[in-house]
Amino acid sequence: MSAPVAALDIRSVSRRFGALQALDDVSLRVEPGEFFALLGPNGAGKTTLISIVAGLTRPDAGTVSVMGHDVQRDFRAARRALGVVPQELVFDPFFTVRETLRIQSGYFGLRRNDDWIDELLQNLDLANKADANMRQLSGGMKRRVLVAQALVHRPPVILLDEPTAGVDVELRQTLWQFVRRLNREGHAIVLTTHYLEEAEQLCTRIAMLKQGRVVVMERTADLIRRFSGGKLVLRCSGATLPAELQPTVIEPPRHDAATGGWTATLRVDGNAEVEPMLARLRLGGCRIDELELQHVDLEDVFVRIMQAA
Amino acid sequence: MAAIEFSGAGFATLLRKELLRFWKVSFQTVAAPVLTSLLYLLVFSQALRGHVEAYPGVSYTAFLVPGLVMMSVLQNAFANASSSLIQSKITGNLVFVLLPPLAHLEIYCAYVLASMVRGLVVGAGVLVVTFPLTDLRFAAPGWALAFAVLGSAILGTMGLLAGIWAEKFDQMAAFQNFVIMPLTFLSGVFYSTHALSPFWQAVSHLNPFFYMVDGFRYGFFGVSDVPPAISLAAVAAALAVAAALTLRLLSRGWKLRH
């Protein structure tokens, strides 16, 4: 039996700009209905990859298909299956919000699409700005119009390139509520963001790019579990920190004049290590007055992976 | 093959958007060039009336009007495609045209047709406001229409070409001032090439704009510097070359898709 069609299938894609190898043999596959994060520092190649998927940039090597349609050879079907929210805050100053959406609809061959346009305006909190010129909108509103433009043809695959940059917290919540709904309805979502908390909360799988290469690709929960543990913040009295725990020190012991004890922060590589560490402290004559275990989040994982890769 | 597919709906929307774009600022894109042409006519006809007779029995004012009409058609057809594309490139909103399933032929046809409409609307406006000031006649209106349509198509195509090539407004201004403007002014808008020396006549005949203006003028007076059929062939050939080049660049995504 053949494998089901991928929402997005990127195979061995490379792209060079002059001396810069923007993408180097990148392969990844996003399944229909998946919420996928593409993360990486600035210049990692995320936007180049999205541009190649969108047909705005051509790869030097490799192939990309959207819902089984090659983005070069079968560009019409591939683009109909794809909605892209570009990173740049771009708009056409000649038109109102509704005109902008009707025009975008028409490009996809949808002439009578007002019901869906109204729904988009409602869900993205733009209904009262429908007849306002694009120039009159705030940055956050323009960003939401970009989202509406990407969704106007109801694509099964949606690429969001930093969609919440410059959007305030309340509007961000509105946006994510709507995108989550689309995802529940079966749309595959690929998100790039610098807000790693968003990726952690929303995305079931994550790929991390560094210098044009995929350095990590796995389920979000597995990734965080793999880097489980974190930091153990201690306030102790009695003896000093045992020598065998010195290699785990993140912040060395500081004397606390008020209590006569000391505070320190130790690295814990896994939850299973906590109890043996506490036992060593007790055996060394330390009394543990207070402790706090701080777990890693995606941001810690991201930093560790980027430092290591 | 995808390269020759044509989607009517996408094309119609892009055409409508391009028409709306210039119509929303029609004071600047239609009324202003009509006024400029009227001023040309008033100044030149006042200064040269009685001094110049380009064709026997045709006053200089009457001679000038078809030239000014055609100049307006050409310049505005060029301005429409070129300004739309360069603005979209620089502001980044060209992405809205590049992301949908529009083929290069649809993009070409929409931009050029919108440019033709603007050029012809402005040309008609110039004709309407200058007509009462002259003793103009229409000896062969079909020829005039044919040259207006083909001329606007060529300049719409050149506007698109310039928009594809230019990466900043400065480059676009250079193309307009150092290519379009000289070719327009040296095309016989203000004079008959019969008044030139044989050398400059020969040079004029290398200018495709000359055939557009001369053929268009034939439609009014039934007289021209070269036979209208030759002009039509020259104009059609120029359009074929410009269109082929522009379509090739669009299909490769040159300076549009990186």
Side-chain angles (χ1 to χ4, degrees):
Chain A
M1 202 174 80
S2 60
V5 169
L8 187 58
D9 193 5
I10 297 170
R11 293 187 184 186
S12 304
V13 165
S14 296
R15 175 67 211 232
R16 176 180 282 278
F17 295 105
L20 175 73
Q21 186 71 48
L23 293 172
D24 187 6
D25 197 25
V26 169
S27 294
L28 58 90
R29 181 183 164 100
V30 178
E31 301 303 331
E34 198 174 8
F35 210 135
F36 188 90
L38 191 58
L39 306 178
N42 289 332
K46 304 183 297 290
T47 298
T48 302
L49 190 58
I50 283 184
S51 295
I52 287 173
V53 174
L56 300 174
T57 300
R58 289 184 172 141
D60 297 330
T63 59
V64 176
S65 60
V66 180
M67 299 303 292
H69 306 288
D70 186 278
V71 298
Q72 299 291 331
R73 290 196 308 274
D74 192 8
F75 75 97
R76 282 194 201 269
R79 289 185 203 167
R80 275 196 197 100
L82 187 68
V84 181
V85 180
Q87 192 181 120
E88 302 292 329
L89 204 55
V90 291
F91 64 96
D92 195 327
F94 285 90
F95 302 108
T96 65
V97 173
R98 187 178 290 282
E99 284 171 338
T100 298
L101 296 180
R102 280 183 176 158
I103 288 168
Q104 203 65 23
S105 235
Y107 290 155
F108 286 89
L110 304 169
R111 287 212 171 122
R112 291 184 183 80
N113 198 23
D114 276 3
D115 287 349
W116 175 238
I117 288 174
D118 283 336
E119 202 174 328
L120 283 173
L121 292 171
Q122 203 67 46
N123 280 292
L124 290 164
D125 206 11
L126 286 166
N128 60 346
K129 295 288 177 188
D131 298 315
N133 185 283
M134 289 296 299
R135 278 174 304 193
Q136 296 168 317
L137 304 187
S138 68
M141 286 176 184
K142 286 188 184 114
R143 179 77 64 191
R144 279 177 285 150
V145 176
L146 282 177
V147 175
Q149 282 180 268
L151 301 178
V152 83
H153 56 295
R154 301 180 192 240
V157 185
I158 301 164
L159 300 186
L160 302 162
D161 195 1
E162 298 190 28
T164 48
V167 176
D168 67 38
V169 177
E170 196 182 337
L171 299 181
R172 203 180 291 172
Q173 294 305 324
T174 311
L175 176 64
W176 288 134
Q177 226 171 11
F178 186 45
V179 173
R180 271 185 160 134
R181 193 189 109 189
L182 291 168
N183 182 237
R184 278 197 304 274
E185 289 171 0
H187 296 259
I189 315 284
V190 178
L191 165 71
T192 82
T193 180
H194 284 294
Y195 300 109
L196 299 183
E197 206 181 312
E198 286 179 348
E200 187 177 344
Q201 287 169 2
L202 295 163
C203 301
T204 47
R205 215 152 56 93
I206 284 173
M208 290 188 189
L209 285 177
K210 187 180 180 187
Q211 292 171 348
R213 298 184 72 93
V214 176
V215 289
V216 160
M217 183 158 52
E218 63 185 283
R219 291 177 55 79
T220 315
D222 294 344
L223 187 63
I224 291 173
R225 199 175 302 124
R226 189 152 67 85
F227 286 81
S228 69
K231 294 183 285 191
L232 186 63
V233 183
L234 294 166
R235 190 163 66 78
C236 298
S237 53
T240 57
L241 183 72
E244 61 264 42
L245 291 179
Q246 286 295 339
T248 67
V249 167
I250 297 172
E251 286 174 32
R254 274 180 299 131
H255 180 69
D256 185 347
T259 63
W262 50 267
T263 60
T265 306
L266 308 183
R267 192 186 71 247
V268 185
D269 289 331
N271 289 343
E273 281 188 14
V274 176
E275 191 44 48
M277 287 172 84
L278 296 178
R280 274 191 210 104
L281 283 163
R282 288 189 202 101
L283 280 171
C286 298
R287 195 178 69 237
I288 302 163
D289 298 321
E290 199 176 312
L291 69 85
E292 185 188 353
L293 184 62
Q294 295 177 349
H295 283 283
V296 294
D297 55 17
L298 188 59
E299 193 161 327
D300 295 312
V301 174
F302 180 80
V303 170
R304 282 198 220 169
I305 289 173
M306 289 302 145
Q307 282 171 350
Chain B
M1 200 173 96
I4 54 166
E5 275 180 26
F6 195 89
S7 154
F11 154 77
T13 302
L14 183 55
L15 171 63
R16 185 171 161 270
K17 176 236 163 193
E18 282 300 298
L19 292 173
L20 272 174
R21 198 194 69 86
F22 87 76
W23 195 247
K24 281 186 175 232
V25 286
S26 54
F27 216 65
Q28 175 202 334
T29 55
V30 178
V34 170
L35 177 66
T36 306
S37 294
L38 185 62
L39 291 173
Y40 271 126
L41 183 74
L42 294 175
V43 170
F44 277 89
S45 64
Q46 193 62 37
L48 298 173
R49 188 165 50 193
H51 298 285
V52 179
E53 189 185 59
Y55 296 150
V58 177
S59 72
Y60 182 68
T61 310
F63 172 85
L64 193 55
V65 166
L68 288 175
V69 170
M70 196 56 172
M71 186 170 84
S72 304
V73 170
L74 302 181
Q75 287 184 339
N76 283 279
F78 177 84
N80 203 65
S82 61
S83 67
S84 176
L85 200 55
I86 190 74
Q87 280 174 24
S88 292
K89 272 172 87 172
I90 286 174
T91 59
N93 66 46
L94 188 64
V95 76
F96 302 136
V97 174
L98 298 178
L99 287 174
L102 290 166
H104 61 276
L105 185 61
E106 293 147 27
I107 293 174
Y108 172 83
C109 290
Y111 273 101
V112 171
L113 204 54
S115 300
M116 290 168 69
V117 171
R118 174 165 157 195
L120 294 172
V121 165
V122 173
V126 173
L127 191 58
V128 166
V129 299
T130 54
F131 187 74
L133 307 175
T134 60
D135 50 347
L136 210 56
R137 52 183 193 267
F138 297 93
W143 281 105
L145 189 63
F147 280 100
V149 168
L150 284 178
S152 61
I154 292 178
L155 268 291
T157 303
M158 289 181 75
L160 194 52
L161 201 55
I164 294 169
W165 167 75
E167 284 164 354
K168 43 191 182 176
F169 289 116
D170 186 42
Q171 290 173 326
M172 180 57 76
F175 196 98
Q176 192 144 18
N177 291 320
F178 292 98
V179 179
I180 301 300
M181 203 63 115
L183 287 175
T184 312
F185 270 75
L186 301 176
S187 64
V189 168
F190 299 101
Y191 55 85
S192 163
T193 55
H194 282 148
L196 303 175
S197 67
F199 172 77
W200 287 111
Q201 273 190 39
V203 171
S204 293
H205 289 184
L206 296 174
N207 178 2
F209 289 34
F210 158 75
Y211 298 99
M212 300 176 209
V213 173
D214 196 52
F216 185 68
R217 198 173 265 136
Y218 177 84
F220 289 83
F221 307 117
V223 182
S224 55
D225 292 353
V226 299
I230 291 177
S231 292
L232 195 67
V235 171
L239 177 59
V241 170
L245 176 62
T246 309
L247 281 166
R248 175 88 182 122
L249 296 181
L250 279 173
S251 74
R252 288 176 55 197
W254 187 64
K255 294 207 173 191
L256 298 176
R257 298 182 196 271
H258 301 286

XYZ file of all heavy atoms in Angstrom, chain B residues 150-208:
455
model
N -2.182 48.676 -31.184
C -0.862 48.020 -31.221
C 0.191 48.838 -30.472
O 1.023 48.284 -29.743
C -0.419 47.816 -32.672
C -1.096 46.672 -33.437
C -0.585 46.621 -34.876
C -0.829 45.332 -32.751
N 0.134 50.153 -30.641
C 1.107 51.027 -29.954
C 0.971 50.914 -28.449
O 1.967 50.793 -27.715
N -0.274 50.916 -27.955
C -0.464 50.812 -26.502
C -0.006 49.427 -26.019
O 0.530 49.305 -24.911
C -1.922 51.067 -26.128
O -2.769 50.108 -26.729
N -0.204 48.404 -26.837
C 0.243 47.057 -26.438
C 1.770 47.003 -26.340
O 2.324 46.422 -25.397
C -0.257 46.019 -27.436
N 2.450 47.632 -27.304
C 3.928 47.625 -27.248
C 4.417 48.371 -26.015
O 5.291 47.898 -25.285
C 4.526 48.289 -28.515
C 4.245 47.429 -29.735
C 6.030 48.518 -28.362
C 4.747 48.033 -31.024
N 3.832 49.547 -25.774
C 4.327 50.327 -24.635
C 3.917 49.696 -23.303
O 4.658 49.789 -22.322
C 3.839 51.778 -24.752
C 4.820 52.723 -25.478
C 6.075 52.957 -24.623
C 5.254 52.187 -26.829
N 2.769 49.037 -23.271
C 2.398 48.284 -22.069
C 3.413 47.184 -21.817
O 3.860 46.960 -20.694
N 3.813 46.519 -22.897
C 4.814 45.450 -22.782
C 6.159 46.019 -22.331
O 6.832 45.446 -21.455
C 4.972 44.738 -24.138
O 3.697 44.235 -24.541
C 5.963 43.598 -24.066
N 6.533 47.161 -22.912
C 7.814 47.770 -22.503
C 7.763 48.224 -21.049
O 8.762 48.168 -20.330
C 8.157 48.944 -23.424
C 8.561 48.500 -24.821
S 8.986 49.864 -25.911
C 10.606 50.309 -25.283
N 6.587 48.689 -20.624
C 6.418 49.080 -19.216
C 6.615 47.881 -18.299
O 7.267 47.974 -17.259
N 6.056 46.763 -18.718
C 6.201 45.532 -17.935
C 7.672 45.105 -17.893
O 8.208 44.741 -16.838
C 5.338 44.450 -18.576
C 5.037 43.177 -17.804
C 4.482 43.478 -16.425
C 4.049 42.317 -18.577
N 8.304 45.204 -19.042
C 9.723 44.855 -19.156
C 10.578 45.730 -18.227
O 11.445 45.237 -17.494
C 10.143 45.073 -20.617
C 11.360 44.373 -21.159
C 11.271 42.875 -20.973
C 11.511 44.703 -22.650
N 10.295 47.033 -18.264
C 11.044 47.966 -17.407
C 10.769 47.657 -15.938
O 11.680 47.703 -15.103
C 10.650 49.402 -17.730
N 9.511 47.325 -15.617
C 9.153 46.997 -14.236
C 9.843 45.733 -13.752
O 10.238 45.625 -12.598
N 9.995 44.773 -14.659
C 10.696 43.533 -14.290
C 12.176 43.828 -14.048
O 12.775 43.365 -13.085
C 10.546 42.467 -15.402
C 9.094 42.019 -15.520
C 11.450 41.270 -15.155
C 8.806 41.178 -16.761
N 12.754 44.636 -14.934
C 14.190 44.911 -14.856
C 14.562 45.800 -13.673
O 15.516 45.530 -12.940
C 14.652 45.565 -16.164
C 16.027 46.162 -16.077
C 17.207 45.491 -16.067
C 16.355 47.552 -15.955
N 18.251 46.384 -15.945
C 17.756 47.650 -15.883
C 15.584 48.728 -15.907
C 18.410 48.879 -15.760
C 16.238 49.949 -15.789
C 17.636 50.014 -15.721
N 13.784 46.865 -13.468
C 14.179 47.875 -12.467
C 14.015 47.330 -11.052
O 13.067 46.602 -10.752
C 13.331 49.123 -12.648
N 14.965 47.698 -10.203
C 14.890 47.292 -8.802
C 14.669 48.481 -7.888
O 14.474 48.333 -6.689
C 16.173 46.553 -8.411
C 16.165 45.140 -8.982
C 17.521 44.482 -8.965
O 18.505 45.145 -8.618
O 17.589 43.291 -9.307
N 14.765 49.687 -8.470
C 14.492 50.882 -7.674
C 13.907 51.946 -8.587
O 14.027 51.863 -9.814
C 15.748 51.370 -6.960
C 17.000 51.355 -7.776
C 18.207 51.607 -6.904
C 19.459 51.644 -7.744
N 20.657 51.964 -7.017
N 13.291 52.942 -7.965
C 12.607 53.980 -8.747
C 13.585 54.728 -9.655
O 13.229 55.187 -10.731
C 11.896 54.964 -7.816
C 10.685 54.367 -7.149
C 10.629 54.213 -5.776
C 9.592 53.949 -7.900
C 9.520 53.648 -5.163
C 8.468 53.385 -7.304
C 8.443 53.242 -5.924
N 14.821 54.855 -9.204
C 15.850 55.556 -9.954
C 16.074 54.884 -11.312
O 16.176 55.547 -12.349
C 17.134 55.516 -9.110
C 18.232 56.340 -9.727
O 17.910 57.434 -10.201
O 19.393 55.877 -9.742
N 16.138 53.564 -11.295
C 16.344 52.823 -12.559
C 15.136 52.984 -13.476
O 15.275 53.108 -14.688
C 16.576 51.340 -12.256
C 17.914 51.081 -11.592
C 18.060 49.629 -11.152
O 17.086 48.995 -10.764
N 19.269 49.118 -11.196
N 13.955 52.990 -12.869
C 12.747 53.161 -13.676
C 12.732 54.546 -14.320
O 12.395 54.705 -15.508
C 11.513 52.971 -12.787
C 10.206 53.130 -13.533
S 10.078 52.014 -14.930
C 9.713 50.493 -14.084
N 13.105 55.564 -13.532
C 13.139 56.940 -14.069
C 14.148 57.010 -15.210
O 13.907 57.677 -16.231
C 13.501 57.912 -12.958
N 15.279 56.319 -15.060
C 16.299 56.320 -16.117
C 15.739 55.701 -17.395
O 15.919 56.229 -18.496
C 17.539 55.553 -15.654
N 15.046 54.582 -17.259
C 14.448 53.917 -18.430
C 13.461 54.857 -19.108
O 13.458 55.004 -20.338
C 13.721 52.635 -17.977
C 13.400 51.681 -19.097
C 14.223 50.595 -19.346
C 12.282 51.873 -19.906
C 13.931 49.707 -20.388
C 11.985 50.995 -20.943
C 12.819 49.908 -21.183
N 12.659 55.521 -18.301
C 11.634 56.422 -18.856
C 12.287 57.635 -19.546
O 11.903 57.997 -20.661
C 10.731 56.898 -17.711
C 9.480 57.592 -18.196
C 8.299 57.287 -17.296
O 8.472 56.843 -16.159
N 7.099 57.514 -17.785
N 13.276 58.221 -18.876
C 13.857 59.467 -19.403
C 14.866 59.246 -20.520
O 15.026 60.110 -21.377
C 14.517 60.242 -18.254
C 13.475 60.775 -17.297
O 12.415 61.234 -17.720
N 13.746 60.683 -16.007
N 15.571 58.109 -20.486
C 16.636 57.900 -21.475
C 16.238 56.942 -22.603
O 16.962 56.815 -23.574
C 17.909 57.395 -20.778
C 18.523 58.447 -19.897
C 18.280 58.444 -18.532
C 19.305 59.460 -20.429
C 18.815 59.428 -17.709
C 19.851 60.444 -19.609
C 19.603 60.431 -18.248
N 15.117 56.283 -22.472
C 14.663 55.389 -23.553
C 13.308 55.855 -24.109
O 13.190 56.217 -25.278
C 14.571 53.921 -23.070
C 14.075 53.013 -24.199
C 15.926 53.434 -22.564
N 12.316 55.872 -23.246
C 10.946 56.135 -23.720
C 10.791 57.577 -24.203
O 10.261 57.825 -25.300
C 9.926 55.827 -22.594
C 10.044 54.361 -22.159
C 8.509 56.146 -23.052
C 9.792 53.340 -23.255
N 11.279 58.502 -23.396
C 11.090 59.923 -23.745
C 11.759 60.279 -25.074
O 11.104 60.860 -25.957
C 11.622 60.798 -22.593
C 11.015 62.170 -22.558
S 9.241 62.070 -22.272
C 9.135 62.854 -20.710
N 13.050 59.962 -25.282
C 13.670 60.303 -26.585
C 12.982 59.607 -27.760
O 12.748 60.229 -28.800
C 15.112 59.787 -26.438
C 15.339 59.675 -24.993
C 14.036 59.377 -24.363
N 12.634 58.325 -27.573
C 11.981 57.610 -28.688
C 10.632 58.259 -29.023
O 10.227 58.312 -30.181
C 11.764 56.133 -28.322
C 13.014 55.251 -28.304
C 12.694 53.846 -27.809
C 13.642 55.166 -29.693
N 9.950 58.763 -27.979
C 8.645 59.399 -28.214
C 8.816 60.757 -28.895
O 8.162 61.055 -29.900
C 7.905 59.599 -26.869
O 7.952 58.386 -26.136
C 6.466 60.014 -27.086
N 9.698 61.577 -28.340
C 9.856 62.935 -28.879
C 10.470 62.919 -30.279
O 10.245 63.839 -31.064
C 10.704 63.795 -27.923
C 9.862 64.510 -26.913
C 9.317 63.825 -25.839
C 9.581 65.862 -27.037
C 8.512 64.469 -24.912
C 8.774 66.516 -26.116
C 8.239 65.809 -25.044
N 11.263 61.915 -30.592
C 11.909 61.844 -31.913
C 11.147 60.925 -32.868
O 11.711 60.382 -33.813
C 13.361 61.366 -31.751
C 14.224 62.253 -30.850
C 15.614 61.654 -30.671
C 14.325 63.668 -31.405
N 9.858 60.782 -32.599
C 9.064 59.880 -33.442
C 8.225 60.617 -34.470
O 7.480 59.989 -35.216
C 8.135 59.058 -32.551
O 7.218 59.931 -31.906
N 8.345 61.952 -34.494
C 7.547 62.712 -35.454
C 6.237 63.211 -34.881
O 5.318 63.528 -35.626
N 6.160 63.261 -33.542
C 4.950 63.815 -32.923
C 4.772 65.269 -33.330
O 3.682 65.715 -33.694
C 5.031 63.703 -31.381
C 3.937 64.527 -30.714
C 4.943 62.250 -30.961
N 5.893 66.012 -33.322
C 5.809 67.460 -33.528
C 6.183 67.884 -34.941
O 6.137 69.064 -35.264
C 6.731 68.184 -32.526
C 6.338 67.912 -31.096
C 7.036 66.990 -30.334
C 5.262 68.563 -30.525
C 6.674 66.735 -29.025
C 4.891 68.304 -29.216
C 5.594 67.390 -28.459
N 6.657 66.942 -35.770
C 7.119 67.308 -37.117
C 6.939 66.113 -38.050
O 6.795 64.973 -37.607
C 8.602 67.716 -37.069
C 9.487 66.657 -36.453
C 9.991 65.600 -37.216
C 9.803 66.685 -35.092
C 10.777 64.611 -36.659
C 10.586 65.696 -34.523
C 11.063 64.663 -35.302
O 11.825 63.663 -34.749
N 6.982 66.421 -39.350
C 6.992 65.348 -40.334
C 8.452 65.024 -40.649
O 9.286 65.947 -40.762
C 6.276 65.794 -41.609
O 6.621 64.934 -42.672
N 8.760 63.770 -40.790
C 10.163 63.416 -41.065
C 10.592 63.889 -42.461
O 11.789 63.946 -42.743
C 10.390 61.887 -40.972
O 9.477 61.238 -41.848
C 10.224 61.393 -39.557
N 9.628 64.246 -43.292
C 9.992 64.805 -44.610
C 10.736 66.123 -44.469
O 11.442 66.550 -45.372
C 8.739 64.991 -45.475
C 8.269 63.690 -46.062
N 6.938 63.410 -46.305
C 8.941 62.584 -46.416
C 6.833 62.188 -46.806
N 8.047 61.670 -46.864
N 10.556 66.764 -43.313
C 11.247 68.035 -43.078
C 12.699 67.805 -42.663
O 13.474 68.756 -42.539
C 10.509 68.819 -41.998
N 13.071 66.550 -42.437
C 14.441 66.255 -41.967
C 15.364 65.948 -43.144
O 14.902 65.625 -44.245
C 14.415 65.049 -41.025
C 13.517 65.132 -39.784
C 13.537 63.799 -39.038
C 13.972 66.271 -38.868
N 16.655 66.012 -42.859
C 17.638 65.638 -43.881
C 17.544 64.122 -44.106
O 17.046 63.402 -43.232
C 19.044 65.992 -43.388
O 19.364 65.169 -42.280
N 18.015 63.629 -45.263
C 17.934 62.176 -45.518
C 18.562 61.352 -44.410
O 18.046 60.279 -44.055
C 18.706 62.016 -46.835
C 18.581 63.336 -47.500
C 18.557 64.369 -46.412
N 19.658 61.822 -43.836
C 20.309 61.057 -42.769
C 19.365 60.891 -41.573
O 19.160 59.795 -41.058
C 21.602 61.753 -42.333
C 22.215 61.100 -41.107
C 22.912 59.897 -41.222
C 22.075 61.678 -39.841
C 23.457 59.285 -40.103
C 22.620 61.066 -38.722
C 23.319 59.878 -38.857
N 18.787 61.996 -41.134
C 17.919 61.936 -39.948
C 16.598 61.231 -40.262
O 15.981 60.643 -39.385
C 17.681 63.337 -39.360
C 18.906 63.833 -38.663
C 19.712 64.849 -39.062
C 19.496 63.268 -37.482
N 20.773 64.985 -38.206
C 20.663 64.021 -37.214
C 19.178 62.216 -36.633
C 21.495 63.745 -36.131
C 20.002 61.953 -35.559
C 21.161 62.705 -35.304
N 16.206 61.300 -41.542
C 15.031 60.510 -41.939
C 15.319 59.021 -41.752
O 14.502 58.271 -41.207
C 14.691 60.763 -43.414
C 13.791 61.965 -43.622
C 13.283 62.043 -45.067
O 12.964 61.030 -45.668
N 13.220 63.245 -45.602
N 16.525 58.627 -42.188
C 16.910 57.210 -42.069
C 16.986 56.805 -40.601
O 16.545 55.707 -40.218
C 18.246 56.981 -42.757
N 17.540 57.703 -39.780
C 17.619 57.414 -38.336
C 16.210 57.265 -37.754
O 15.933 56.345 -36.966
C 18.416 58.525 -37.605
C 18.314 58.353 -36.087
C 19.876 58.505 -38.044
N 15.317 58.170 -38.169
C 13.930 58.113 -37.667
C 13.276 56.783 -37.995
O 12.474 56.260 -37.210
C 13.088 59.234 -38.279
O 13.528 60.479 -37.831
N 13.638 56.256 -39.169
C 13.003 55.002 -39.589
C 13.469 53.798 -38.773
O 12.914 52.716 -38.876
C 13.251 54.771 -41.092
C 12.470 55.736 -41.933
N 12.444 55.701 -43.314
C 11.683 56.795 -41.602
C 11.675 56.684 -43.770
N 11.213 57.360 -42.739
N 14.502 53.998 -37.958
C 14.938 52.925 -37.044
C 14.153 52.952 -35.728
O 14.288 52.044 -34.898
C 16.432 53.067 -36.736
C 17.375 52.899 -37.933
C 18.811 53.211 -37.521
C 17.270 51.490 -38.508
N 13.392 54.019 -35.551
C 12.646 54.189 -34.305
C 11.244 53.586 -34.464
O 10.432 54.090 -35.234
C 12.555 55.694 -33.992
C 11.749 55.984 -32.737
O 11.280 55.075 -32.065
N 11.587 57.269 -32.440
N 10.929 52.526 -33.734
C 9.595 51.912 -33.909
C 8.451 52.863 -33.554
O 7.352 52.724 -34.071
C 9.638 50.705 -32.964
C 10.782 50.936 -32.057
C 11.757 51.816 -32.756
